[in-house]
Amino acid sequence: MSGRIVIVGAGIAGATAARTLRTEGYTGEIVLLGAEPGHPYRRPMVSKELLAGTVEDRRTLVQPADFWHTHQIDLRPGTTVESIDPGPALVWLADGTAIGYDTLLLATGARPRALSMAATPVRPDLGRRGAEIGGRRPSTGERIHTLRGRADAEVLREVIAQGGSLLIIGAGLIGCEVAATARGLGAEVTVLDAAAVPLERVAPAAIGDYLRKLHADNGVAIHTDVRLTHLAQDGAAVVAVADDDSTWTAAAMLVAIGSVPDTRLAEAAGLAVGDGIRVDEHYRTSAPGVYAAGDAVTRFDPVSGGYRREEHWNSAQSQGAAAARSMLGLPAAAAQVPWGWSMQYGRNVQFAGVIRAGDELVVRGRVEAGDATVLALRAGRATGAVAIARPAEFRAAKELIGRGAVLDPGVCMDESRPLAEAVELSGQS
């Protein structure tokens, strides 16, 4: 319970780990290094409240501003880590100084995935074919953006205010949330995606179709099955060109096609890396005394025998707590069902577990009305769920997924009975 623990990354995984170390009785030194300025904040707000500029700073914080000092956590925001050296157990900072550690936690998160194509100068003929998004355009500045942190949201909000039109590449969670937020700011918005439906990675097609209509009803067109071949920009516009020669033009573009784990420090230090920093079930990396948690890791699952990476806020939070307990030699908490949520035009969409092609889908309510829960069953066992505007039922579904409950589809669809009864009445316990 003594020594120095250094945490690289002050996102939710790193911040939660630091807090958990103290609540579990660790009395040694904790150094929390964050690349962004300011105190750890709630990153899910980036595409919603922070982009809209509708939330007070204090409400965005993971903990009150004085929490870190009160709990003797040496928070160092705006600190860039240049490298780590597990041999002598050192963390090297960009200013050339080094910090020694007894235990190290890497919580480096993820960075936005880049498009595989470069932007070239706009040809005179582009922007006159296909769909052109309206709104006045700014005359200067970068036109292609990504969104990961608070600073990105501030830049994008200003871009929207200046230009009035936004083209979003990607109809996943970030893309759809930004589309709804930007529309609320008065922007003309169009979304392009290569998938068949919005939110294809986390929700079944019926949910994606509902969201497409929800956006259309609010003035946002989502074009799917789009294969982009070319981007172009100049000082006044950005253009996306598809393989069928369709074009879309706007004052600015947001690339929101997912994220990749930030493994650069781990790779340079010689740690095992796959689709993320590889850790065992106790969040230990391949280097002694070095742990990792959050969006940057791919964790060994002893049940399946393979590695799995999760990218949700709640997963990173639970992993930060679990890694802290592991560093202290405490028993691991029970594994949590991965889950997340999205707020679009005031509609709350929650999802949990994993839904795969071929799963049996059971629907309670009416998806097209924006009031439903969709359960995914695999060999009768609950494996995933998506709920629209049904938070209580979603909690019940998440609990059933966590138990791996075998459900009676007929009982599941009977809304006169609580969802929890789908287990009892099918003879399961």
Side-chain angles (χ1 to χ4, degrees):
M1 290 294 182
S2 61
R4 177 188 290 162
I5 294 178
V6 174
I7 301 172
V8 178
I12 189 59
T16 300
R19 182 192 65 198
T20 304
L21 289 169
R22 286 292 185 240
T23 59
E24 293 292 353
Y26 180 71
T27 57
E29 187 177 353
I30 302 173
V31 180
L32 179 59
L33 306 174
E36 293 186 69
H39 294 89
Y41 62 94
R42 301 180 183 277
R43 199 175 296 274
M45 289 185 170
V46 165
S47 56
K48 300 182 282 291
E49 296 93 339
L50 281 168
L51 177 58
T54 57
V55 62
E56 297 178 20
D57 184 70
R58 62 181 180 84
R59 293 187 58 195
T60 70
L61 301 182
V62 170
Q63 297 291 341
D66 63 353
F67 173 88
W68 311 102
H69 176 73
T70 301
H71 290 78
Q72 297 182 312
I73 296 171
D74 183 7
L75 172 64
R76 302 187 191 182
T79 301
T80 301
V81 175
E82 193 70 27
S83 64
I84 62 172
D85 192 342
L90 292 174
V91 173
W92 289 93
L93 306 183
D95 63 6
T97 61
I99 304 174
Y101 64 83
D102 295 286
T103 307
L104 174 65
L105 175 67
L106 297 177
T108 47
R111 60 184 188 275
R113 187 183 300 277
L115 282 171
S116 59
M117 63 194 76
T120 62
V122 174
R123 300 202 313 263
D125 61 314
L126 292 180
R128 293 201 297 269
R129 297 172 293 152
E132 178 159 350
I133 308 170
R136 61 187 178 86
R137 297 167 176 167
S139 58
T140 60
E142 178 61 45
R143 301 290 165 234
I144 300 177
H145 303 266
T146 57
L147 183 66
R148 181 65 183 172
R150 183 193 296 269
D152 299 327
E154 293 172 355
V155 169
L156 188 59
R157 184 170 66 250
E158 180 62 22
V159 165
I160 290 170
Q162 291 179 9
S165 60
L166 182 66
L167 180 61
I168 300 174
I169 310 301
L173 288 170
I174 298 298
C176 286
E177 288 178 353
V178 170
T181 304
R183 191 73 185 110
L185 291 172
E188 295 294 324
V189 183
T190 291
V191 182
L192 310 178
D193 198 284
V197 292
L199 264 64
E200 187 178 63
R201 288 183 59 194
V202 298
I207 299 292
D209 288 337
Y210 163 75
L211 289 173
R212 189 204 305 269
K213 184 176 185 303
L214 178 65
H215 280 268
D217 290 344
N218 284 276
V220 173
I222 298 180
H223 300 273
T224 52
D225 292 312
V226 174
R227 301 292 184 271
L228 293 180
T229 61
H230 182 75
L231 298 182
Q233 67 171 333
D234 64 10
V238 61
V239 183
V241 184
D243 59 1
D244 62 357
D245 288 331
S246 295
T247 65
W248 295 267
T249 304
M253 174 186 291
L254 174 71
V255 177
I257 56 173
S259 63
V260 294
D262 192 343
T263 62
R264 290 172 291 188
L265 291 175
E267 286 185 75
L271 275 61
V273 171
D275 178 27
I277 305 169
R278 287 201 166 189
V279 297
D280 64 13
E281 61 268 39
H282 302 293
Y283 299 93
R284 297 175 297 210
T285 71
S286 58
V290 181
Y291 295 71
D295 289 357
V297 312
T298 179
R299 179 174 178 260
F300 180 73
D301 179 6
V303 176
S304 66
Y307 286 86
R308 186 175 70 182
R309 188 168 80 90
E310 299 170 1
E311 300 180 67
H312 303 308
W313 167 267
N314 297 293
S315 295
Q317 188 174 40
S318 63
Q319 286 189 16
R325 291 177 58 85
S326 181
M327 287 189 285
L328 298 179
L330 299 174
Q336 294 191 15
V337 174
W339 69 281
W341 77 96
S342 179
M343 186 67 72
Q344 301 173 37
Y345 307 107
R347 303 302 288 179
N348 186 19
V349 181
Q350 297 170 287
F351 46 90
V354 178
I355 299 177
R356 296 176 182 166
D359 288 349
E360 179 183 2
L361 300 179
V362 179
V363 180
R364 289 170 65 88
R366 296 174 57 230
V367 173
E368 65 275 15
D371 177 26
T373 298
V374 179
L375 287 162
L377 307 182
R378 200 170 305 147
R381 194 174 300 278
T383 59
V386 180
I388 306 173
R390 292 194 172 195
E393 197 164 88
F394 174 77
R395 288 192 294 271
K398 186 156 68 77
E399 193 270 337
L400 292 172
I401 296 168
R403 289 165 50 194
V406 177
L407 306 182
D408 182 325
V411 177
C412 286
M413 288 186 289
D414 185 353
E415 291 202 83
S416 69
R417 298 167 172 170
L419 182 58
E421 289 187 2
V423 178
E424 284 184 17
L425 296 182
S426 64
Q428 303 294 323
S429 59

